[in-house]
Amino acid sequence: KLLYILVIHHSVRAYDEATILYFENLINSTINETANYVIPTSSEEFRGNYYCSKDAKDFGSYDFIIVGSGSTGATLAARLAEEEKFKILLIEAGGAENNFTDIPGLYFYSRFTDYNWGYFSVPQEHACLGMKDRRCPFPRGKAVGGTTVINGLIDSRGNRDDFDTWNQLVNGSWSYEEVLPYFKKIEDSHIDGDPGYHGEDGPFPVYYHNPISPQVDAYLGANEELGYKVLDFNGAHQIGVSRNQLNNIKGRRVSTAKAYLDPARKYSNLKIVDKAYVTRVLIDDKTAYGVEFMLNGEKTIAKVEKEVIVSGGVIASPFILMHSGIGPKLELEKYNIPVVKDLPVGSNLHDHPTFYGLSFRTNFNQPKYTQREYIEQYLDGKGDFTIAANLQGIGYYQSKHMQIPGLPDIEFLISPSGMENAASQESFHLTDETFQAVWGNLNRVTDFLMYVVLLKPKSIGYVTIKSNDPFDFPIIDPKFLSDAENVDIDAIYEATEYLLSLLKTDHYKKLNVTLIKVVFEACKDTEYLSKEYWYCTIRQITMNVYHPVGTCKMDLERHGGIVNKDLKVYGVKRLRVADGSVLPFSLSGHPSMASIMIGEKLSDMLKKQYMA
């Protein structure tokens, strides 16, 4: 803790030889451990004597029980704890983050630790074709802090129209004007943002990466040549380009555990239980009265006086609801789960399909450093260890398929030359052939990567249960690029063509930017750079960018909604769902900040209701 106080305030040189050796040992030992990672298919470490137990241990009674300590759950718990009359229980399956997860530049490796649930999709037919078994990885955080412990830390809220459309679906309370004050409340901004759109006193710091790569400067300049402005994408307008806004403090990861729960631990009315696995919400007479969970190998029950709030995330929340009897009737009856409420839980999975197959060569030479030098830079709050996947630049655009003014349906991410990451192949679950075709000959001294993110996909997937065993992992099918009209793949193709047009700009010519040829075995008979070639290539290496939403969507019940505008589950009293799963559709942004906003907003709603 003293080390990080020194790093944050920069009052003295923040490290010595012992500190460097500590981080060298930590990094090397953790990376070595990840080599033995086995992909899980169930939560066996929690099962214990679940099916042998007749009696459950009594864990007491609370005003609020919150299931999951991720983006929303941690925020909500911390804010509710500010009212001393509330007694709160926060239950989390994972453990505390550590000094390794604090290093953003090594987040790929965190996916091969206990901090990731390790989910995968079912085999895909239209995308992820270059992945092993055609299965897309679905990393989700299993930690106090949830996915904010392993995510990419990009602070992108979404577009004004996203929230206004969401608001119209439920007839009130989620418009952009109503949620903007919460986004500002969250932030401690240190970027050149538009006046009136950012906060300065919130728990979540926002910074640019330091230093910025000349390749990113060229990307920004090239777009300006083509008429796009460099702007604050969380400000008045979104379509344009920018340096990325990142949630870190002097290069160190900031999770919701750090931002919200650590300060809230001073409140005696908040009890945080980690390494505890919730199996179901307890419901009687269509009223939630507690939760059942496994703790230290024992079946345990906690009861609630006011409400249960499920904040397990886009995968776990529908999973818990279905095992509690809330879900599609036919699916529950198939596994002999008594039906409490027939709702289309899990049926509205949205994610951002992302094309990872573009790389470019330049005449710029990025300096290479030793591991020790990267560590020293990290402790000084700069360099490759301080940013996830080196995603320094971003852009928002409209394809011909988007007709709403000001609403982007394409995001570009640029990862300039930098530190090599040996975990990238396994992290993306790539076959040897795919990895070799795209990244095998990549030179991280001269080359940079571009990712094309589809923000408004037509393809919709689902999450469902595999059995009536709450320890069996769920079935996840995103159905990427499966829309019958091929709108999704065509939008990605159009975006790819735009990136190629940047090669003609003066800024790119100065760096001698050229496209690196990629040819998959499956695409070898297509004409290079033809539409047929790109369609084939896109399907090989398009997968998710880990922005799933929608599986417990907020909407009117007659339109397939699971929760109403107050986040209350239809047909079940004293039960709410609050996390990214309630977002009715994909945002033109990243869902982490929106999920934190939901926690802030719900805490005010609950205080108003129960403090009156």
Side-chain angles (χ1 to χ4, degrees), residues 2-10 14 249-250 378-381:
L2 175 60
L3 165 67
Y4 285 128
I5 289 172
L6 296 176
V7 172
I8 291 167
H9 293 287
H10 280 222
I249 185 161
K250 305 301 183 187
Y378 169 70
L379 295 172
D380 277 336

Side-chain angles (χ1 to χ4, degrees), residues 49 121 190 225 296 570:
N49 60 351
S121 76
H190 299 266
E225 288 185 52
N296 298 323
Y570 286 113

Side-chain angles (χ1 to χ4, degrees), residues 190-193 206-210 231-232 242-246 248:
H190 299 266
I191 58 108
D192 298 324
V206 184
Y207 285 90
Y208 294 130
H209 176 65
N210 178 35
L231 47 62
D232 170 15
S242 175
R243 297 174 66 179
N244 246 326
Q245 299 177 27
L246 303 168
N248 63 54

Side-chain angles (χ1 to χ4, degrees), residues 355 357-360 492-494 496-501 503-504 514-520 523-538:
F355 175 43
L358 290 167
S359 53
F360 299 86
I492 293 175
Y493 165 68
E494 180 186 334
T496 300
E497 290 287 290
Y498 172 78
L499 287 181
L500 297 183
S501 74
L503 297 174
K504 300 176 183 178
T514 55
L515 178 69
I516 297 176
K517 188 174 183 178
V518 171
V519 178
F520 291 99
C523 310
K524 66 179 182 180
D525 293 331
T526 64
E527 181 185 350
Y528 181 58
L529 300 185
S530 67
K531 186 174 182 179
E532 183 185 14
Y533 161 83
W534 283 118
Y535 267 46
C536 180
T537 302
I538 288 167

Side-chain angles (χ1 to χ4, degrees), residues 136-161:
C136 321
F138 262 79
R140 295 282 90 196
K142 186 174 70 172
V144 179
T147 302
T148 65
V149 173
I150 64 169
N151 71 355
L153 296 172
I154 294 175
D155 188 323
S156 177
R157 303 167 181 172
N159 188 269
R160 175 186 293 269
D161 185 82

Side-chain angles (χ1 to χ4, degrees), residues 20-156:
I20 295 172
L21 286 173
Y22 165 78
F23 274 97
E24 284 185 324
N25 291 332
L26 172 69
I27 291 167
N28 292 333
S29 61
T30 305
I31 289 175
N32 289 337
E33 289 172 7
T34 65
N36 299 317
Y37 178 78
V38 177
I39 297 174
T41 57
S42 64
S43 300
E44 285 301 318
E45 77 265 36
F46 292 106
R47 188 185 295 273
N49 60 351
Y50 182 79
Y51 286 106
C52 301
S53 299
K54 294 183 179 180
D55 299 318
K57 182 179 178 181
D58 183 5
F59 206 73
S61 181
Y62 302 82
D63 292 305
F64 298 101
I65 298 176
I66 302 169
V67 180
S69 70
S71 297
T72 308
T75 305
L76 178 61
R79 291 303 189 195
L80 289 178
E82 294 171 350
E83 300 294 342
E84 62 181 14
K85 69 173 287 186
F86 294 154
K87 186 179 180 183
I88 302 134
L89 174 64
L90 177 62
I91 306 175
E92 168 57 48
E97 58 195 328
N98 63 18
N99 288 335
F100 185 86
T101 58
D102 278 353
I103 306 173
L106 298 178
Y107 92 124
F108 276 137
Y109 291 99
S110 297
R111 298 179 186 179
F112 306 103
T113 68
D114 288 340
Y115 293 106
N116 177 23
W117 281 103
Y119 298 133
F120 280 85
S121 76
V122 299
Q124 296 297 286
E125 297 180 11
H126 305 282
C128 299
L129 303 185
M131 282 69 184
K132 296 175 184 176
D133 303 318
R134 295 180 287 112
R135 297 167 67 215
C136 321
F138 262 79
R140 295 282 90 196
K142 186 174 70 172
V144 179
T147 302
T148 65
V149 173
I150 64 169
N151 71 355
L153 296 172
I154 294 175
D155 188 323
S156 177

Side-chain angles (χ1 to χ4, degrees), residues 327-337 339 342-343 464:
K329 181 179 179 181
L330 293 178
E331 195 75 5
L332 300 181
E333 289 179 341
K334 181 168 67 174
Y335 298 117
N336 298 314
I337 297 174
V339 179
D342 180 13
L343 291 172
T464 191

Side-chain angles (χ1 to χ4, degrees), residues 217-502:
D217 283 333
Y219 167 74
L220 300 179
N223 277 277
E224 285 188 294
E225 288 185 52
L226 298 185
Y228 287 94
K229 292 182 179 180
V230 176
L231 47 62
D232 170 15
F233 56 84
N234 283 323
H237 304 284
Q238 191 181 8
I239 294 178
V241 293
S242 175
R243 297 174 66 179
N244 246 326
Q245 299 177 27
L246 303 168
N247 294 130
N248 63 54
I249 185 161
K250 305 301 183 187
R252 175 188 173 217
R253 173 180 295 277
V254 177
S255 65
T256 50
K258 290 188 185 71
Y260 285 95
L261 291 181
D262 285 354
R265 291 180 187 275
K266 65 186 177 186
Y267 299 122
S268 60
N269 59 334
L270 173 61
K271 186 174 185 63
I272 304 171
V273 179
D274 64 4
K275 299 182 181 179
Y277 183 85
V278 173
T279 51
R280 61 188 176 119
V281 178
L282 301 173
I283 301 169
D284 183 40
D285 193 25
K286 295 190 180 296
T287 301
Y289 68 89
V291 298
E292 176 187 272
F293 58 101
M294 291 298 289
L295 179 64
N296 298 323
E298 293 185 285
K299 187 185 295 185
T300 307
I301 286 177
K303 295 185 178 179
V304 73
E305 297 294 327
K306 291 182 172 63
E307 298 192 28
V308 173
I309 298 115
V310 178
S311 296
V314 178
I315 307 301
S317 285
F319 183 77
I320 292 169
L321 289 188
M322 284 188 268
H323 280 289
S324 307
I326 303 167
K329 181 179 179 181
L330 293 178
E331 195 75 5
L332 300 181
E333 289 179 341
K334 181 168 67 174
Y335 298 117
N336 298 314
I337 297 174
V339 179
V340 174
K341 177 65 177 177
D342 180 13
L343 291 172
V345 172
S347 64
N348 186 54
L349 176 63
H350 286 70
D351 204 339
H352 288 155
T354 300
F355 175 43
Y356 292 89
L358 290 167
S359 53
F360 299 86
R361 185 146 292 157
T362 73
N363 60 19
F364 167 75
N365 284 275
Q366 170 70 23
K368 294 192 72 173
Y369 300 100
T370 65
Q371 183 189 78
R372 171 171 286 239
E373 288 170 327
Y374 282 126
I375 291 171
E376 290 177 349
Q377 292 171 6
Y378 169 70
L379 295 172
D380 277 336
K382 60 186 179 182
D384 286 15
F385 273 5
T386 67
I387 183 170
N390 204 25
L391 297 174
Q392 297 183 25
I394 196 166
Y396 288 99
Y397 303 77
Q398 277 192 333
S399 77
K400 65 186 179 184
H401 299 287
M402 175 53 67
Q403 303 301 316
I404 301 172
L407 179 64
D409 62 335
I410 296 293
E411 176 184 283
F412 293 137
L413 291 167
I414 178 170
S415 175
S417 301
M419 177 180 63
E420 294 185 17
N421 197 316
S424 58
Q425 178 175 1
E426 288 304 318
S427 181
F428 288 127
H429 204 53
L430 304 176
T431 65
D432 290 341
E433 191 258 321
T434 302
F435 179 77
Q436 187 61 34
V438 181
W439 287 303
N441 297 316
L442 198 68
N443 184 338
R444 291 301 284 167
V445 172
T446 61
D447 303 346
F448 69 89
L449 309 174
M450 291 293 305
Y451 304 151
V452 180
V453 183
L454 182 62
L455 299 172
K456 297 295 182 183
K458 304 295 182 185
S459 306
I460 300 173
Y462 66 88
V463 173
T464 191
I465 54 177
K466 188 182 298 180
S467 69
N468 61 5
D469 186 340
F471 301 96
D472 278 349
F473 275 5
I475 296 170
I476 304 170
D477 189 355
K479 295 187 177 296
F480 290 134
L481 307 185
S482 65
D483 62 305
E485 296 81 14
N486 283 332
V487 170
D488 288 354
I489 193 170
D490 192 63
I492 293 175
Y493 165 68
E494 180 186 334
T496 300
E497 290 287 290
Y498 172 78
L499 287 181
L500 297 183
S501 74
L502 296 177

